Amino acid sequence: MGRGWKYGLLLLGVVLLLFILNLLVGSVKIPADAVWDSIRGAEVEKTSWKFIVLESRLPQAITALLCGAALATSGLLLQTAFNNPLAGPSILGISTGASLGVAFVMLFLGGSFTLGTVAFSGFISVVTGAFIGAMAVMGIILFFSAFVRSSIMLLIIGIMIGYLASSAISLLNFFSTSEGVHSYVIWGLGNFGGVTMGQLSFFVSAIGAGLIIALMLIKPLNALLLGNRYAENLGVNIKRVRNWLLIATGVLTAVTTAFCGPISFIGLAVPHIARLMLGSSNHTTLMPVTMLWGAVIALLCNLVCVLPGESGIIPLNAVTPVLGAPVIIYVIINQRKIQYFN
């Protein structure tokens, strides 16, 4: 058994352990046997316990697991495609586009809008706005990718689009009411509890589709490590691979940002943790290990967020930098010693 498989099985065990802890730990103390009975559909002492487990903790744990895997995979795809160890899901402006969509709904439209004969309000309007904003930015990036051959130039275009979106968000904040700004700030703190049991099937399907596309790109990504010319000599269609990569990244980032807010550092830091563990950039093992590490970090962050118990829940984006920033600093300091793309 190779080292990648051993690490994969180890991480799978850690994911399972953290998933169970996410079900057991929360602001309300629920006995372990009551949690288990709730999941298997048996009667429990208090109906409120069953409701909390099935309608809050279980979807939140599943959301954290998939969101972490999605953001980590997005970061890995972008770092390989642009040959840049500091690329992340927000680098192409997709996360900022989602934030702009939410800002437009909350700050300009007052939290509700109508598309044709369908009216959107409340949380549904926020999710819809974020998804439309993210996919709009992805559409712009795909449009430019038809004319721009250089990945570096496409990266710069994405950064500029992100700046334009950030500027628009600042203007919306400036002209908005204090209540609107407060609601937008709360959304921007990040939260894995944004997916209800009814929305979970769509969330799982969308994230699953993005992750499957990413797994199908393993061989072309390995070829890209050797350079674009070498990859083309091996029969890799660079333009097609790049477009599929952008689609996978766009879907994963759009869905996670729409439901959970703009979560920082997971997509940027986790691929480096996986590379440092494996000592390799071979995507055959790196991709699955990155997904598992993303799930581990997200579940761990979610667990830390609920540790205060009855005192409240810590904002997610107050926890992720604590875990992610040291990794990025280590990468910057030791980038000459660490061979990422070989």
Side-chain angles (χ1 to χ4, degrees), residues 277-324:
M277 169 182 272
L278 295 172
S280 169
S281 288
N282 184 347
H283 289 76
T284 305
T285 54
L286 180 60
M287 182 80 73
V289 169
T290 299
M291 291 180 182
L292 290 171
W293 258 117
V296 167
I297 296 299
L299 286 169
L300 180 60
C301 288
N302 191 57
L303 192 61
V304 172
C305 286
V306 300
L307 283 181
E310 296 178 358
S311 300
I313 298 176
I314 301 173
L316 184 60
N317 278 330
V319 177
T320 52
V322 176
L323 299 176

Side-chain angles (χ1 to χ4, degrees), residues 138-149 154 157 161 242:
M138 191 191 76
I140 295 171
I141 297 295
L142 286 173
F143 172 78
F144 279 109
S145 71
F147 306 98
V148 179
R149 293 185 59 87
L154 192 63
I157 290 172
I161 293 173
R242 187 172 62 179

Side-chain angles (χ1 to χ4, degrees), residues 109-185:
L109 299 178
S112 63
F113 64 96
T114 303
L115 288 178
T117 58
V118 182
F120 297 88
S121 61
F123 180 74
I124 298 299
S125 66
V126 173
V127 172
T128 305
F131 192 78
I132 291 174
M135 299 310 288
V137 171
M138 191 191 76
I140 295 171
I141 297 295
L142 286 173
F143 172 78
F144 279 109
S145 71
F147 306 98
V148 179
R149 293 185 59 87
S150 171
S151 294
I152 299 300
M153 291 299 104
L154 192 63
L155 181 66
I156 294 174
I157 290 172
I159 293 172
M160 293 303 105
I161 293 173
Y163 279 132
L164 290 173
S166 296
S167 177
I169 292 171
S170 297
L171 289 173
L172 287 170
N173 273 300
F174 181 78
F175 289 106
S176 179
T177 62
S178 58
E179 292 82 3
V181 173
H182 176 74
S183 298
Y184 180 74
V185 169

Side-chain angles (χ1 to χ4, degrees), residues 30-340:
I30 302 176
D33 57 345
V35 172
W36 171 244
D37 288 339
S38 299
I39 293 174
R40 65 187 184 92
E43 292 296 325
V44 295
E45 182 181 339
K46 297 182 180 179
T47 55
S48 59
W49 288 352
K50 190 171 185 178
F51 180 84
I52 291 171
V53 172
L54 296 181
E55 298 297 328
S56 178
R57 293 187 185 180
L58 182 60
Q60 190 168 344
I62 295 173
T63 300
L65 189 154
L66 292 176
C67 187
L71 291 174
T73 301
S74 297
L76 176 62
L77 292 174
L78 293 174
Q79 288 169 12
T80 301
F82 296 110
N83 196 24
N84 187 335
L86 297 180
S90 61
I91 199 69
L92 290 177
I94 299 173
S95 293
T96 314
S99 299
L100 177 59
V102 172
F104 192 79
V105 170
M106 285 186 176
L107 306 179
F108 185 75
L109 299 178
S112 63
F113 64 96
T114 303
L115 288 178
T117 58
V118 182
F120 297 88
S121 61
F123 180 74
I124 298 299
S125 66
V126 173
V127 172
T128 305
F131 192 78
I132 291 174
M135 299 310 288
V137 171
M138 191 191 76
I140 295 171
I141 297 295
L142 286 173
F143 172 78
F144 279 109
S145 71
F147 306 98
V148 179
R149 293 185 59 87
S150 171
S151 294
I152 299 300
M153 291 299 104
L154 192 63
L155 181 66
I156 294 174
I157 290 172
I159 293 172
M160 293 303 105
I161 293 173
Y163 279 132
L164 290 173
S166 296
S167 177
I169 292 171
S170 297
L171 289 173
L172 287 170
N173 273 300
F174 181 78
F175 289 106
S176 179
T177 62
S178 58
E179 292 82 3
V181 173
H182 176 74
S183 298
Y184 180 74
V185 169
I186 294 299
W187 175 83
L189 293 176
N191 178 24
F192 287 134
V195 183
T196 64
M197 207 63 181
Q199 300 163 342
L200 195 61
S201 58
F202 170 79
F203 185 82
V204 171
S205 300
I207 296 297
L211 293 178
I212 289 172
I213 294 173
L215 289 170
M216 293 172 64
L217 294 173
I218 284 178
K219 288 185 178 180
L221 288 172
N222 280 336
L224 287 176
L225 292 176
L226 304 172
N228 286 351
R229 289 185 179 180
Y230 194 89
E232 288 176 343
N233 290 335
L234 292 175
V236 176
N237 188 323
I238 302 296
K239 184 178 178 181
R240 182 185 302 169
V241 170
R242 187 172 62 179
N243 286 343
W244 276 111
L245 184 147
L246 290 173
I247 290 172
T249 303
V251 169
L252 293 173
T253 306
V255 174
T256 53
T257 306
F259 281 94
C260 306
I263 299 171
S264 60
F265 279 101
I266 291 180
L268 184 60
V270 170
H272 297 300
I273 298 174
R275 288 192 189 95
L276 290 170
M277 169 182 272
L278 295 172
S280 169
S281 288
N282 184 347
H283 289 76
T284 305
T285 54
L286 180 60
M287 182 80 73
V289 169
T290 299
M291 291 180 182
L292 290 171
W293 258 117
V296 167
I297 296 299
L299 286 169
L300 180 60
C301 288
N302 191 57
L303 192 61
V304 172
C305 286
V306 300
L307 283 181
E310 296 178 358
S311 300
I313 298 176
I314 301 173
L316 184 60
N317 278 330
V319 177
T320 52
V322 176
L323 299 176
V327 176
I328 301 305
I329 293 172
Y330 178 83
V331 169
I332 293 172
I333 294 174
N334 297 277
Q335 59 182 330
R336 293 185 179 181
K337 301 177 182 179
I338 305 171
Q339 297 297 322
Y340 282 104

